[in-house]
Amino acid sequence: FDRSAHTDRIQELAWLGRLREAREVFDAMPHRSIFAWNTMISAYCNSGMLEDARSLVDAISGGNVRTSTILLSGYARLGRVLDARRVFDGMLERNTIAWNAMVSCYVRNGDVTMARRLFDAMPSKDVTSWNSMLTGYCHSRQMVDAWHLFEQMPERNLVSWTVVISGYARIEQHGKAWDIFRMMHREGVSPDQSNFASVLLAVTGLRDLGVLEGLRPLALKTGFESDVVIGTSMLNAYTRDASALDTAMKFFEGMPERNEYTWSTMIAALSHGGRIDAATAVYERDPVKSIPCQTALLTGLARCGRITDARILFDQIPDPIVVSWNAMITGYMQNGMVDEAKELFDRMPFRNTISWAGMIAGYAQNGRNQEALDLLQAQHRNGMLPSLSSLTSSFFACSNIGALETGNQVHSLAVKAGCQFNSYIGNALITMYGKCGNMEYVRQVFSRMRVKDTVSWNSFISALVHNNMLEDARHIFDNMLSRDVVSWTTIISAYAQAERGTEAVEFFKIMLHKHEVPNSPILTILLSMCGSLGAPKLGQQIHTVAIKHGRDSELIVANALMSMYFKCGSADSHKVFDSMEERDIFTWNSFITGCAQHGLGREAIKMYKHMRSAGVLPNEVTFVGLLNACSHAGLVDEGWQFFKSMSRDYGLTPLLEHYACMVDLLGRTGNVQGAEQFIYDMPIEPDAVIWSALLGACKIHKNAEIGRRAAERLFAIEPSNSGNYVMLSNIYSSLGMWVEVAEVRRIMKQQGVTKEPGCSWMQIRNKVYSFVTGDKQHEQIEEVESTLQDLYTSLRTAGYVPDTEFVLHDIDEEQKESSLLYHSEKLAVAYGLLVTPQGMPIQIMKNLRICGDCHTFFKFVSQVTKRDIDIRDGNRFHHFRNGSCSCGDFW
């Protein structure tokens, strides 16, 4: 009895995470049975302290079959497959339990091929053997093989049915899972608790509360609904549907019996649904206030940002176990309070592998990557091999800082831990090596993976894309056996970022054709692409898809829609903003920036005041938008007020972008000397954007002296940027300084710099048409030139006079006028007039800033043709209406 009492005490202390005290009880035993040894070994294995467990096994020369099986299972739990296999191979005798443990080890770590090989070699099998193999197929989503094995089983028990039902639920074939449960019921097999729980998971996936209600009579008939475990599972099914929280609460109130998991399930559901006060009220009613309930509420409080309340709750726990410590640390990390998490971690009386994993993950997710790697090293020094979570977080940290050498060392540690073939580790390695630019290692890891799931293929594609190997990524994508929404997101994003928009859209169409539901990232990627291309019709079509799938009201999608419409010059941007039920700082910044792009300075300021009234604090991006708006509208006094307000009212330090806006504002309004002095007075070193703003102002106001000084600075900072040379040449040519123009052209030639050609494009009937300055390649170029000549004649009659100062060559006036006539935006408007119905608005996008002559030209075009013409150049929008422009000739 005394020995049994000692063993029970060891188990109790181990469960509480107090391994040091458990070992003291063990060491104090005068006589130890093999059961006591196995209990202590099991305690170490369950806590991840495998080196201590191994020492005890060695101390009794291996113990019995159960001793080896316990150690084998411990290695399996931490993914140390090779160590587990060494234990298995070293066993002098093996019973079916040992064989099953080794099969389960392979299954647990995703190596279904080795599991099947061992399964086939078993001298005898029991139903547990079959169920282990069945579990392997189900966990790896190989449901065809799973079903085939299920049909071959000489006998089945409830576990068999439960595993296969759960397998189909896992791959979201919830209807199939429900059908198998009904088949089981027809065969007269009565469900038990876990079986009911598995079918409830499938029913939850069906998102049909009617089916759930239909299952309740069977639960009543079998007497399970009053069973607290099944009742809690049914409650869990209700709580998975966020819209059914009230129904869940009603079910909860009607339960005849509740356990700690019932209370914690309800608390977790309410807090996850944003009803933290209701969750707190349920917690206050819990008579026991068990650790799971405390942890659920603590986690909920932390998730919704009430970290102080979470800490108060934690401090009220008289003797918190390791789970509570871990939850509090995770809460701090989720709220970016890394130092507070570290302080708590350092105070922990006992740490398990989850404690270390939580800290390492928190460091990495909060950008403190080197500290994450240092902590991994400290864990290893303490004699604990890291868990899968610690290793994957460490690979993530290496990815973030490009630490290839450290990544190699962590890879070696994963090999030492025997989990290099685990799919989670393999996927993390692919990502890490890909971000570090070592594609040779990426291919090696991928080719050696024994199990490649969809995440593996997606990681491989992402690595190829990251290293600009788009065609290879396309080849891998085309050869995938199955794809998920992440696969489509990765490939669509890759083509969009490579400015191959047509192919990105084609992938999107194929995705929809295959009935794959687009997620928010795909929609935002495509909407951003539409904004960049100035393709409002395509953007409207994607907007329609978002509405169809209920994504248009999601904040990230609504923000992308508003930004896209602004960039495309569409008034729908205001409609989207007005319809938004939720707005964040990005929403307000996008609207203010959009107003700035369109020269709506007063409206941008009005929106800023509205934002402040809504209680939203501005950030650095807000002030960039405001200063740009003031610059484009010539609001000098207002611009100065906003610039000073940044630091005075909000404690924000002006960045280079803000100084560039101020230089632009001062220079545009004619105070070029003041703009130059402002630069010299800056507390930080000016960059190319600031000097470029000054050079642009000199171009507008024809200030050659200051322009030359600004250009010389730019030539030193970015000698290959052709735009700087062209701007200086423009200043000289506008003043007739042809010697200086020739000198600039000589420097360009000497530096190997070529002028970026002007390019304009427009979308007509879902097709994009582009033109370059002096274009001769367009299929209708003769008709376009003829239309342009006729238009030119009409405009000259109406009073248009070409401004030849924008020609960079010293040639006669007639040649200058001819040169101006074939600028890309003029060719584009001629084509628009040629192929679109009379009176239809025309929208043109241009890569460079519109020149003064073209600006005047378009004012006359809008007056003579009675057309609304919108041009988005490299700087802003110009809306031409009946002979005037929205910029007020200030751009």
PDB file of all heavy atoms in Angstrom, residues 457-473:
ATOM      1  N   TRP A 457       3.585  21.870 -50.993  1.00  0.00           N
ATOM      2  CA  TRP A 457       3.597  22.366 -52.377  1.00  0.00           C
ATOM      3  C   TRP A 457       3.468  23.892 -52.397  1.00  0.00           C
ATOM      4  O   TRP A 457       4.162  24.574 -53.160  1.00  0.00           O
ATOM      5  CB  TRP A 457       2.469  21.721 -53.178  1.00  0.00           C
ATOM      6  CG  TRP A 457       2.688  20.266 -53.439  1.00  0.00           C
ATOM      7  CD1 TRP A 457       2.305  19.222 -52.662  1.00  0.00           C
ATOM      8  CD2 TRP A 457       3.351  19.689 -54.570  1.00  0.00           C
ATOM      9  NE1 TRP A 457       2.693  18.025 -53.229  1.00  0.00           N
ATOM     10  CE2 TRP A 457       3.327  18.284 -54.398  1.00  0.00           C
ATOM     11  CE3 TRP A 457       3.956  20.216 -55.709  1.00  0.00           C
ATOM     12  CZ2 TRP A 457       3.890  17.409 -55.327  1.00  0.00           C
ATOM     13  CZ3 TRP A 457       4.512  19.341 -56.636  1.00  0.00           C
ATOM     14  CH2 TRP A 457       4.474  17.953 -56.434  1.00  0.00           C
ATOM     15  N   ASN A 458       2.580  24.427 -51.561  1.00  0.00           N
ATOM     16  CA  ASN A 458       2.416  25.883 -51.497  1.00  0.00           C
ATOM     17  C   ASN A 458       3.703  26.570 -51.053  1.00  0.00           C
ATOM     18  O   ASN A 458       4.090  27.624 -51.587  1.00  0.00           O
ATOM     19  CB  ASN A 458       1.287  26.251 -50.529  1.00  0.00           C
ATOM     20  CG  ASN A 458      -0.078  25.849 -51.046  1.00  0.00           C
ATOM     21  OD1 ASN A 458      -0.252  25.577 -52.234  1.00  0.00           O
ATOM     22  ND2 ASN A 458      -1.057  25.812 -50.159  1.00  0.00           N
ATOM     23  N   SER A 459       4.384  25.966 -50.066  1.00  0.00           N
ATOM     24  CA  SER A 459       5.647  26.542 -49.576  1.00  0.00           C
ATOM     25  C   SER A 459       6.702  26.540 -50.670  1.00  0.00           C
ATOM     26  O   SER A 459       7.476  27.501 -50.818  1.00  0.00           O
ATOM     27  CB  SER A 459       6.142  25.751 -48.358  1.00  0.00           C
ATOM     28  OG  SER A 459       5.207  25.772 -47.308  1.00  0.00           O
ATOM     29  N   PHE A 460       6.752  25.451 -51.440  1.00  0.00           N
ATOM     30  CA  PHE A 460       7.713  25.339 -52.539  1.00  0.00           C
ATOM     31  C   PHE A 460       7.436  26.405 -53.601  1.00  0.00           C
ATOM     32  O   PHE A 460       8.359  27.099 -54.077  1.00  0.00           O
ATOM     33  CB  PHE A 460       7.626  23.941 -53.144  1.00  0.00           C
ATOM     34  CG  PHE A 460       8.757  23.599 -54.091  1.00  0.00           C
ATOM     35  CD1 PHE A 460       9.967  24.268 -54.042  1.00  0.00           C
ATOM     36  CD2 PHE A 460       8.591  22.602 -55.040  1.00  0.00           C
ATOM     37  CE1 PHE A 460      11.006  23.948 -54.913  1.00  0.00           C
ATOM     38  CE2 PHE A 460       9.622  22.273 -55.912  1.00  0.00           C
ATOM     39  CZ  PHE A 460      10.824  22.956 -55.855  1.00  0.00           C
ATOM     40  N   ILE A 461       6.159  26.595 -53.941  1.00  0.00           N
ATOM     41  CA  ILE A 461       5.792  27.617 -54.928  1.00  0.00           C
ATOM     42  C   ILE A 461       6.180  29.003 -54.417  1.00  0.00           C
ATOM     43  O   ILE A 461       6.748  29.818 -55.150  1.00  0.00           O
ATOM     44  CB  ILE A 461       4.277  27.553 -55.233  1.00  0.00           C
ATOM     45  CG1 ILE A 461       3.949  26.255 -55.992  1.00  0.00           C
ATOM     46  CG2 ILE A 461       3.834  28.757 -56.050  1.00  0.00           C
ATOM     47  CD1 ILE A 461       2.474  26.006 -56.160  1.00  0.00           C
ATOM     48  N   SER A 462       5.892  29.274 -53.125  1.00  0.00           N
ATOM     49  CA  SER A 462       6.233  30.578 -52.542  1.00  0.00           C
ATOM     50  C   SER A 462       7.735  30.832 -52.589  1.00  0.00           C
ATOM     51  O   SER A 462       8.178  31.957 -52.857  1.00  0.00           O
ATOM     52  CB  SER A 462       5.740  30.655 -51.099  1.00  0.00           C
ATOM     53  OG  SER A 462       4.340  30.597 -51.039  1.00  0.00           O
ATOM     54  N   ALA A 463       8.537  29.788 -52.323  1.00  0.00           N
ATOM     55  CA  ALA A 463       9.988  29.931 -52.367  1.00  0.00           C
ATOM     56  C   ALA A 463      10.461  30.266 -53.778  1.00  0.00           C
ATOM     57  O   ALA A 463      11.325  31.127 -53.972  1.00  0.00           O
ATOM     58  CB  ALA A 463      10.654  28.643 -51.877  1.00  0.00           C
ATOM     59  N   LEU A 464       9.880  29.623 -54.770  1.00  0.00           N
ATOM     60  CA  LEU A 464      10.238  29.912 -56.161  1.00  0.00           C
ATOM     61  C   LEU A 464       9.859  31.339 -56.537  1.00  0.00           C
ATOM     62  O   LEU A 464      10.630  32.062 -57.172  1.00  0.00           O
ATOM     63  CB  LEU A 464       9.537  28.912 -57.090  1.00  0.00           C
ATOM     64  CG  LEU A 464      10.034  27.461 -57.005  1.00  0.00           C
ATOM     65  CD1 LEU A 464       9.040  26.511 -57.670  1.00  0.00           C
ATOM     66  CD2 LEU A 464      11.411  27.317 -57.644  1.00  0.00           C
ATOM     67  N   VAL A 465       8.661  31.746 -56.139  1.00  0.00           N
ATOM     68  CA  VAL A 465       8.203  33.106 -56.436  1.00  0.00           C
ATOM     69  C   VAL A 465       9.108  34.130 -55.767  1.00  0.00           C
ATOM     70  O   VAL A 465       9.493  35.133 -56.380  1.00  0.00           O
ATOM     71  CB  VAL A 465       6.739  33.284 -55.962  1.00  0.00           C
ATOM     72  CG1 VAL A 465       6.336  34.753 -56.011  1.00  0.00           C
ATOM     73  CG2 VAL A 465       5.799  32.434 -56.807  1.00  0.00           C
ATOM     74  N   HIS A 466       9.456  33.877 -54.505  1.00  0.00           N
ATOM     75  CA  HIS A 466      10.309  34.805 -53.757  1.00  0.00           C
ATOM     76  C   HIS A 466      11.660  34.988 -54.432  1.00  0.00           C
ATOM     77  O   HIS A 466      12.275  36.059 -54.323  1.00  0.00           O
ATOM     78  CB  HIS A 466      10.505  34.278 -52.326  1.00  0.00           C
ATOM     79  CG  HIS A 466      11.301  35.189 -51.450  1.00  0.00           C
ATOM     80  ND1 HIS A 466      10.765  36.334 -50.875  1.00  0.00           N
ATOM     81  CD2 HIS A 466      12.599  35.140 -51.036  1.00  0.00           C
ATOM     82  CE1 HIS A 466      11.693  36.932 -50.157  1.00  0.00           C
ATOM     83  NE2 HIS A 466      12.811  36.245 -50.235  1.00  0.00           N
ATOM     84  N   ASN A 467      12.112  33.970 -55.136  1.00  0.00           N
ATOM     85  CA  ASN A 467      13.412  34.023 -55.812  1.00  0.00           C
ATOM     86  C   ASN A 467      13.271  34.278 -57.309  1.00  0.00           C
ATOM     87  O   ASN A 467      14.160  33.936 -58.095  1.00  0.00           O
ATOM     88  CB  ASN A 467      14.185  32.732 -55.538  1.00  0.00           C
ATOM     89  CG  ASN A 467      14.696  32.646 -54.115  1.00  0.00           C
ATOM     90  OD1 ASN A 467      15.748  33.169 -53.804  1.00  0.00           O
ATOM     91  ND2 ASN A 467      13.932  32.008 -53.242  1.00  0.00           N
ATOM     92  N   ASN A 468      12.140  34.894 -57.690  1.00  0.00           N
ATOM     93  CA  ASN A 468      11.900  35.347 -59.074  1.00  0.00           C
ATOM     94  C   ASN A 468      11.959  34.206 -60.093  1.00  0.00           C
ATOM     95  O   ASN A 468      12.391  34.391 -61.233  1.00  0.00           O
ATOM     96  CB  ASN A 468      12.902  36.446 -59.449  1.00  0.00           C
ATOM     97  CG  ASN A 468      12.823  37.646 -58.530  1.00  0.00           C
ATOM     98  OD1 ASN A 468      11.749  38.135 -58.228  1.00  0.00           O
ATOM     99  ND2 ASN A 468      13.977  38.118 -58.075  1.00  0.00           N
ATOM    100  N   MET A 469      11.515  33.027 -59.694  1.00  0.00           N
ATOM    101  CA  MET A 469      11.484  31.869 -60.598  1.00  0.00           C
ATOM    102  C   MET A 469      10.020  31.555 -60.922  1.00  0.00           C
ATOM    103  O   MET A 469       9.474  30.516 -60.570  1.00  0.00           O
ATOM    104  CB  MET A 469      12.189  30.688 -59.935  1.00  0.00           C
ATOM    105  CG  MET A 469      13.642  30.997 -59.558  1.00  0.00           C
ATOM    106  SD  MET A 469      14.443  29.735 -58.552  1.00  0.00           S
ATOM    107  CE  MET A 469      14.658  28.424 -59.754  1.00  0.00           C
ATOM    108  N   LEU A 470       9.394  32.526 -61.602  1.00  0.00           N
ATOM    109  CA  LEU A 470       7.942  32.471 -61.806  1.00  0.00           C
ATOM    110  C   LEU A 470       7.525  31.309 -62.697  1.00  0.00           C
ATOM    111  O   LEU A 470       6.515  30.640 -62.431  1.00  0.00           O
ATOM    112  CB  LEU A 470       7.462  33.807 -62.393  1.00  0.00           C
ATOM    113  CG  LEU A 470       5.952  33.998 -62.497  1.00  0.00           C
ATOM    114  CD1 LEU A 470       5.276  33.778 -61.157  1.00  0.00           C
ATOM    115  CD2 LEU A 470       5.633  35.396 -63.020  1.00  0.00           C
ATOM    116  N   GLU A 471       8.288  31.043 -63.745  1.00  0.00           N
ATOM    117  CA  GLU A 471       7.906  29.958 -64.654  1.00  0.00           C
ATOM    118  C   GLU A 471       8.020  28.595 -63.951  1.00  0.00           C
ATOM    119  O   GLU A 471       7.190  27.705 -64.162  1.00  0.00           O
ATOM    120  CB  GLU A 471       8.776  29.991 -65.917  1.00  0.00           C
ATOM    121  CG  GLU A 471       8.633  31.282 -66.720  1.00  0.00           C
ATOM    122  CD  GLU A 471       7.181  31.633 -67.015  1.00  0.00           C
ATOM    123  OE1 GLU A 471       6.384  30.724 -67.315  1.00  0.00           O
ATOM    124  OE2 GLU A 471       6.841  32.827 -66.928  1.00  0.00           O
ATOM    125  N   ASP A 472       9.050  28.444 -63.108  1.00  0.00           N
ATOM    126  CA  ASP A 472       9.171  27.202 -62.338  1.00  0.00           C
ATOM    127  C   ASP A 472       8.005  27.060 -61.374  1.00  0.00           C
ATOM    128  O   ASP A 472       7.475  25.964 -61.179  1.00  0.00           O
ATOM    129  CB  ASP A 472      10.492  27.197 -61.548  1.00  0.00           C
ATOM    130  CG  ASP A 472      11.709  27.046 -62.454  1.00  0.00           C
ATOM    131  OD1 ASP A 472      11.532  26.582 -63.590  1.00  0.00           O
ATOM    132  OD2 ASP A 472      12.814  27.385 -62.018  1.00  0.00           O
ATOM    133  N   ALA A 473       7.607  28.185 -60.765  1.00  0.00           N
ATOM    134  CA  ALA A 473       6.463  28.161 -59.851  1.00  0.00           C
ATOM    135  C   ALA A 473       5.200  27.740 -60.595  1.00  0.00           C
ATOM    136  O   ALA A 473       4.397  26.943 -60.085  1.00  0.00           O
ATOM    137  CB  ALA A 473       6.280  29.529 -59.211  1.00  0.00           C
TER     138      ALA A 473
END
